[in-house]
Each structure stands twice: as C-alpha cells, then as structure tokens.
Amino acid sequence: MLEAMGISVEFSHHEGGPGQQEIDLRYADALSTADNLMTFRTVIKEVALEQGLYATFMPKPFAAFPGSGMHTHLSLFEGERNAFHDAGDAMKLSKVARAFIAGVLVHAREFTAVTNQWVNSYKRLFPQPLPGRITEAPAYVCWGHLNRSALVRVPAYGKPNSARVEVRSLDSACNPYLAFAVLLGAGLRGIEQGYELPAGAEDDVWALSDAERRAAGYASLPENLAEAIDVMASSELVAEVLGEHVFDFFLRNKRKEWEDYRRQVTPQELKRYLSL
C-alpha cells in the first residue's frame, strides 16, 4: 500500500516483539520524510483495520519485550557533496560530521521531551535486561561506531554519499516535524560553534556500571517525562528552533499529560501495596 502511494520502502521485517514490525523508508529531505511518516502511520493503521487488527505506535506496549523506536538517519549535503564524508579520516567522518554529532550529544537531554514525548516513552528509554532478548533503546548520551547501545551510531557505508549518523533515541510516537527540527538544530549548532566531539563508546554501554559510565562522562537521558520537560524548559536552543508559540504550547501540553499520569493509581501499585 505504501509503495502504491509513492512512499518507497527499502526494507521490512519482523522484529523481536509479538506482532512487532520494522519498516524502513527510503531517505528524502527532512520535510518530505516527515510528510511520508504521517502518511505511513495512517496507512499502517488502515491496513491493520482491514485485517481485523489494531496497529499501535506506542513506544513500550509490552514490559517483557523491546519497545518500538524510530531510528533516524541524518546527513548533510553541500550541493551534490556529502558534507559528512572525509576519505582521509579513519571512520570516513568529516569535521562537519563530528561537530554535528557533538551538537546532538550536547543538546540531547534538552530535546528528549520532543523526540520522546509520551509518559510511556520513558518505559523504553530504560537500561533494562530482557531475558534472552536485546534491548536497543539508548539510555545514555554517547556515540559510537557500529555501537547499537549508543545514542548516536555511525553506520558502516560504502559510497561517500551514504555517510550518515543514526540517532537511536526517537520513538514511534514523536511528532516528526518537531523531532527533525530539534535534531537538525542541535547538529547545526554544533557545526556553527565548533563543538568538540568526545571519544566514542565502543563498549556495550548498558553493561557498564554506573561508576564506569560516570568515569567515561556518559550522562543519562531524562528518566521520565517530568525530567525531560524541566530540562527542555531551560533550553535556549529548543526555544529558538521551535519558536515561542510552539515551545510554550508544547510544554503546557506535556505538563498536563504528566499531571494526569501522576494522579493515576496503577495496577502495579495496587498489587504491590494493597496485597494481603
């Protein structure tokens, strides 16, 4: 159905959770990709309904299975040249690419409320071992080459025009227009101000102890929506990228969502504290 509507799908396959699917869209400019994603969500839901099924983009519908992310690949071009590629670099990454990654890392905690906007989003961004399964959601601010536990990963590639970075924190509930705006804003700020990229993480970041992560300088992403909102509220970058109206509305909306959540007494609490 997506192909028939002109939305190119490069890969699709079953993922680790029950009924969980990975569908990878072909790259396009940021605005077209955001448009395609909104159409994509509608198409998926409609096709599921036709089959008597329900499709959800909830980031963490099952506690015992991996959540649903929206791993996002980014690159910058100057005309026909990929500004992220440098043939002389060991990782084939240009200074522009390194500064861009540094910008994403420096501002990651500030934009997390946008890329992970639901209370449920933070059930996925949690360093949790799942027996017999791999959880690929990042919980710490770091980058690495081919490292799926890092927030930003540099994938292997062949052609120079394929040089890119992958941001792995986004989830499938985010607003892609706002999410892409803050990602690009953070990366471009890194380029404009010449941010220095720290050493990459090549270890399994989840397997490190808290002390080891602190020693390596890996800050944690916000642990819940309330923390993410507080960090975003003080971000000059996110306010500038989104504009005053959207910035203020978003914060008001998310604060209300958090307050609604705080008022709930969950089945887990009843089971734990009201049991005989």
Side-chain angles (χ1 to χ4, degrees):
M1 180 70 76
L2 290 167
E3 293 280 5
M5 296 183 69
I7 297 177
S8 238
V9 176
E10 294 202 326
F11 304 102
S12 64
H13 59 84
H14 195 285
E15 262 294 355
Q20 188 180 44
Q21 306 292 323
E22 175 173 328
I23 301 178
D24 300 339
L25 303 185
R26 183 170 174 77
Y27 67 87
D29 64 271
L31 180 58
S32 296
T33 300
D35 288 343
N36 287 344
L37 275 166
M38 298 305 288
T39 305
F40 165 93
R41 291 175 183 173
T42 301
V43 168
I44 296 297
K45 285 182 173 290
E46 290 297 321
V47 170
L49 286 171
E50 288 178 358
Q51 303 298 319
L53 302 169
Y54 179 78
T56 180
F57 294 95
M58 187 176 178
K60 186 74 172 177
F62 301 110
F65 294 95
S68 295
M70 195 178 85
H71 298 164
T72 298
H73 294 239
L74 303 101
S75 56
L76 295 179
F77 278 76
E78 292 179 326
E80 298 298 316
R81 187 183 71 84
N82 189 338
F84 279 2
H85 177 72
D86 180 356
D89 180 75
M91 288 190 187
K92 310 298 184 188
L93 281 179
S94 67
K95 291 181 179 179
V96 168
R98 291 176 179 275
F100 185 95
I101 297 170
V104 171
L105 297 180
V106 166
H107 298 287
R109 285 176 48 82
E110 301 169 35
F111 62 62
T112 296
V114 176
T115 55
N116 306 85
Q117 66 156 330
W118 286 359
V119 166
N120 179 256
S121 296
Y122 298 85
K123 306 296 175 70
R124 170 179 166 263
L125 294 183
F126 181 69
Q128 51 196 309
L130 298 176
R133 299 181 179 89
I134 298 173
T135 175
E136 295 189 350
Y140 304 98
V141 180
C142 58
W143 75 283
H145 182 58
L146 307 178
N147 187 346
R148 296 181 184 276
S149 67
L151 171 66
V152 178
R153 183 176 76 102
V154 179
Y157 65 90
K159 301 175 182 177
N161 276 359
S162 297
R164 63 197 187 277
V165 299
E166 177 191 30
V167 183
R168 300 176 61 80
S169 58
L170 290 82
D171 65 44
S172 50
C174 75
N175 178 321
Y177 300 99
L178 302 187
F180 295 166
V182 294
L183 285 180
L184 291 171
L188 292 173
R189 177 66 60 86
I191 295 170
E192 291 162 0
Q193 298 193 3
Y195 289 3
E196 290 290 329
L197 184 64
E202 299 309 328
D203 295 325
D204 182 348
V205 182
W206 299 303
L208 301 177
S209 68
D210 288 341
E212 288 171 328
R213 282 190 286 264
R214 282 195 299 272
Y218 304 152
S220 64
L221 289 173
E223 295 185 1
N224 53 55
L225 183 60
E227 183 184 351
I229 292 166
D230 288 343
V231 177
M232 175 180 159
S234 61
S235 173
E236 172 272 329
L237 173 78
V238 177
E240 180 182 315
V241 169
L242 297 184
E244 182 180 354
H245 174 72
V246 173
F247 183 75
D248 290 343
F249 181 87
F250 186 94
L251 288 173
R252 286 198 307 273
N253 186 41
K254 292 294 119 181
R255 285 190 176 114
K256 183 179 184 306
E257 181 176 341
W258 177 252
E259 289 303 318
D260 289 345
Y261 172 71
R262 287 185 66 192
R263 292 189 184 97
Q264 303 303 311
V265 178
T266 65
Q268 191 272 345
E269 291 171 280
L270 295 175
K271 181 179 179 181
R272 185 180 181 93
Y273 303 122
L274 199 62
S275 59
L276 296 177

